[in-house]
Amino acid sequence: MTDTAALEREIGERTAALVDEWTGRELDAGPGDVACERGYILAWVEATENANPIYWDEAVARETTGGWIAPPSMLSVWMRPLLFNPGAREQIRPLEMHFRLKDAFALPEGIVTGNEIVFHEPVRPGDVISTRLTVAEIGPVRSNRLGTGRPWTIDVTYTNQEGGLVAVESYRMFCYVRSAS
Amino acid sequence: MITVKDVSVGDSLPVLELPVTARTVVQGAASTRDWQPQHHDHAWATTRAGTKDIFLNTPNQAGWIERYLTDWTGARGRLGRMKFRMRRPVFPGDTLVFKGTVTAVDAADGWVDLDLALTVGDETATECSARVAIPRDTDDNPWNRRGDDWRP
């Protein structure tokens, strides 16, 4: 048996029971630490050199989108906790469920391999976005050039302060033990 | 302004070339408030993540893809759905080339589906399929769609 095959077998055996235990688990991550505001929006459109006038010209924004909005793809900005916050409640990391899975499965490395987002209500300055995380799927053990581990999918549901659905995002991850080479 | 009447299956979007630098990666990570070390710490990326350098993070790629799409649609273009898969990391020194093709047009409801490819040299770095609402005619504004009128 090759080293890779042996590692696949070892990971498969020690994590088999965890798959059913964790699939479908949910975590209410609550509201984000930061509200939507123009400064974050400008940093985003600056970084992506996005000249769309709805982000730069208030008259165009008013006529087109009823006022300033954030680019829909900015979603994850509103769920990330501040790295320093003296008044913080219990710290919930971005994609906390992913990190809990990594700990439970003892797969120390992880990368995002895919992402799907369905957009609904736009996010506007002043909005505070809440998230709920769900373990949608945990896949079989496999190996690639990075190492040996399991893929999994975390769904993130975003809602605004009025309970309106903003988006549903699915992250596909691969978490692994690095190859020996 | 582009409307569904101007769009056909097989249409190609203008090509966008993005020379990626360390600043692109770090500024992208900062604007997304993503301080995972593989997006700003070269030593960590190479020794822990096992990659050759820091690399573009996922939300920043989403931002670039959205910008690429709305460069084409104009201000009334409204992103409905975006699905993408990273095939290889994008590093400083890479030139990321964006290409897109229209795969479906729903003239009645004002939806356009597209396949996008983000390549570095001969390699596909990221594949994306997207669904964008664009005006059905010059009087239509997809940003006004609500409830049952918005089914991405």
Side-chain angles (χ1 to χ4, degrees):
Chain A
M1 183 181 290
T2 64
D3 290 347
T4 298
L7 187 56
E8 286 181 352
R9 182 172 175 177
E10 183 268 317
I11 291 173
E13 288 177 354
R14 72 175 166 76
T15 62
L18 296 172
V19 174
D20 284 345
E21 182 184 332
W22 281 82
T23 301
R25 275 202 192 182
E26 292 191 351
L27 174 67
D28 183 354
D33 283 352
V34 299
C36 174
E37 61 176 70
R38 280 282 294 155
Y40 289 122
I41 295 169
L42 287 173
W44 182 277
V45 292
E46 177 193 22
T48 52
E49 301 173 15
N50 187 339
N52 190 333
I54 62 174
Y55 306 122
W56 298 96
D57 184 328
E58 191 166 15
V60 175
R62 204 163 36 239
E63 189 266 335
T64 309
T65 54
W68 294 124
I69 64 166
S73 57
M74 278 190 79
L75 267 181
S76 64
V77 170
W78 318 123
M79 77 172 184
R80 295 184 195 281
L82 294 166
L83 295 183
F84 172 74
N85 181 355
R89 53 194 161 83
E90 179 191 1
Q91 188 76 355
I92 296 180
R93 293 169 287 183
L95 294 174
E96 173 72 28
M97 192 65 95
H98 162 66
F99 292 102
R100 292 186 185 182
L101 276 172
K102 282 176 68 179
D103 291 344
F105 282 68
L107 297 172
E109 314 301 337
I111 61 165
V112 177
T113 58
N115 183 276
E116 179 170 18
I117 316 172
V118 181
F119 300 99
H120 294 275
E121 285 297 309
V123 177
R124 299 178 184 275
D127 282 355
V128 176
I129 304 302
S130 294
T131 52
R132 172 175 291 277
L133 311 177
T134 306
V135 180
E137 181 185 20
I138 301 173
V141 175
R142 61 181 173 83
S143 299
N144 60 24
R145 60 190 163 77
L146 291 172
T148 300
R150 285 186 186 269
W152 53 61
T153 302
I154 308 289
D155 285 348
V156 184
T157 302
Y158 297 78
T159 51
N160 62 27
Q161 65 279 4
E162 293 166 357
L165 180 63
V166 168
V168 179
E169 181 170 26
S170 296
Y171 282 90
R172 284 191 62 78
M173 317 281 195
F174 178 62
C175 291
Y176 58 96
V177 176
R178 284 184 65 179
S179 302
S181 57
Chain B
M1 178 197 306
I2 193 171
T3 72
V4 286
K5 296 169 184 168
D6 306 315
V7 180
S8 301
V9 172
D11 284 357
S12 296
L13 276 60
V15 173
L16 171 69
E17 291 193 7
L18 171 65
V20 176
T21 66
R23 195 204 77 178
T24 315
V25 176
V26 174
Q27 187 178 18
S31 72
T32 58
R33 303 185 59 244
D34 180 355
W35 296 108
Q36 291 289 308
Q38 61 268 33
H39 306 305
H40 66 270
D41 185 336
H42 175 84
W44 199 97
T46 54
T47 59
R48 277 292 306 276
T51 55
K52 74 172 187 179
D53 204 337
I54 58 174
F55 54 92
L56 285 183
N57 74 342
T58 302
N60 185 233
Q61 289 203 42
W64 279 105
I65 290 168
E66 180 182 353
R67 170 256 158 111
Y68 179 61
L69 289 167
T70 55
D71 278 359
W72 175 68
T73 64
R76 291 194 186 176
R78 180 179 175 188
L79 200 51
R81 179 183 289 264
M82 183 163 58
K83 180 177 185 177
F84 55 103
R85 175 174 290 274
M86 279 69 75
R87 298 291 185 191
R88 88 192 266 291
V90 180
F91 301 111
D94 289 343
T95 295
L96 191 59
V97 178
F98 295 67
K99 294 180 180 174
T101 306
V102 174
T103 59
V105 179
D106 178 347
D109 289 330
W111 288 105
V112 176
D113 294 341
L114 304 104
D115 281 346
L116 309 180
L118 283 58
T119 57
V120 176
D122 295 332
E123 291 184 86
T124 299
T126 300
E127 296 170 329
C128 176
S129 57
R131 173 162 250 233
V132 185
I134 65 173
R136 288 170 281 221
D137 53 49
T138 52
D139 293 329
D140 185 32
N141 180 359
W143 290 103
N144 293 334
R145 296 180 197 168
R146 297 281 185 279
D148 286 345
D149 285 339
W150 182 253
R151 292 182 177 175

